[in-house]
Amino acid sequence: VSEGASLLPDHARRYQELYQKADVALLASKREGRGSTVVFDDAMGRAFNLRALRARFSEACRKGELVPFYQPKIELVTGRPTGFEVLCRWNHPEHGLLTPHAFEDILLDQRMAPELTQTILRSSFADYHILQSKGLYAGRVAVNVTVHDLADPEFVSNVDFYLTEAKLDWQDVTIADTETVVMGDTGGQV
């Protein structure tokens, strides 16, 4: 069991604010691992303020700050590229280029994770189409998805829409899940 706490009157005088800060401390304790206890501090509040992160993240999606990076997939025997795996980076105006580790809470949030996936699908498919239209062989483009994407009944039709929009076919893409998606699915939904 992980625990988070905030202290009266040090951290807040009103119940709602005290509760929110204790919830932030709980998130921090869960990140530290099972059996940890964490007391709220201001630095933690900035790092784990999920409401602010949601608002800032949605804005980042609209402004095009979430960008795909491409890792080539190479056939070892021939050395030929067989495709690309799409990696997401957040080109944050204040903090520079952030890897998913810096915004991993987004991947766990059922509202934000699909927004991230859709943003990356749309941009990477558009980039892939540009390569194809120039006659460059790019292989298949592999995009990682979250458990929230796989549980979304609209996911397949959304992917189909983005493929059509970019003039691509299903054969051009690999939908990949990570070990975390499969191993973390204790409810059997995936």
Side-chain angles (χ1 to χ4, degrees), residues 22-76:
D23 198 39
V24 166
L26 178 61
L27 285 173
S29 72
K30 286 181 179 180
R31 182 171 282 169
E32 285 187 18
R34 192 170 286 226
S36 64
T37 300
V38 173
V39 177
F40 177 84
D41 66 38
D42 288 334
M44 179 187 311
R46 289 187 296 276
F48 287 94
N49 187 338
L50 197 54
R51 183 178 297 149
L53 179 62
R54 279 183 181 138
R56 179 64 189 98
F57 180 75
S58 289
E59 180 185 348
C61 286
R62 285 191 304 278
K63 288 183 170 182
E65 293 173 11
L66 293 169
V67 293
F69 270 48
Y70 301 97
Q71 177 174 301
K73 297 174 96 178
I74 307 294
E75 185 178 89
L76 293 177

Side-chain angles (χ1 to χ4, degrees), residues 44-113:
M44 179 187 311
R46 289 187 296 276
F48 287 94
N49 187 338
L50 197 54
R51 183 178 297 149
L53 179 62
R54 279 183 181 138
R56 179 64 189 98
F57 180 75
S58 289
E59 180 185 348
C61 286
R62 285 191 304 278
K63 288 183 170 182
E65 293 173 11
L66 293 169
V67 293
F69 270 48
Y70 301 97
Q71 177 174 301
K73 297 174 96 178
I74 307 294
E75 185 178 89
L76 293 177
V77 174
T78 65
R80 287 186 40 211
T82 60
F84 295 91
E85 181 178 2
V86 179
L87 307 173
C88 179
R89 299 294 183 261
W90 184 347
N91 193 10
H92 197 285
E94 297 166 18
H95 305 295
L97 204 57
L98 304 175
T99 65
H101 181 70
F103 53 93
E104 66 187 341
D105 290 337
I106 289 167
L107 302 172
L108 304 174
D109 186 275
Q110 74 181 53
R111 291 190 317 205
M112 292 188 294

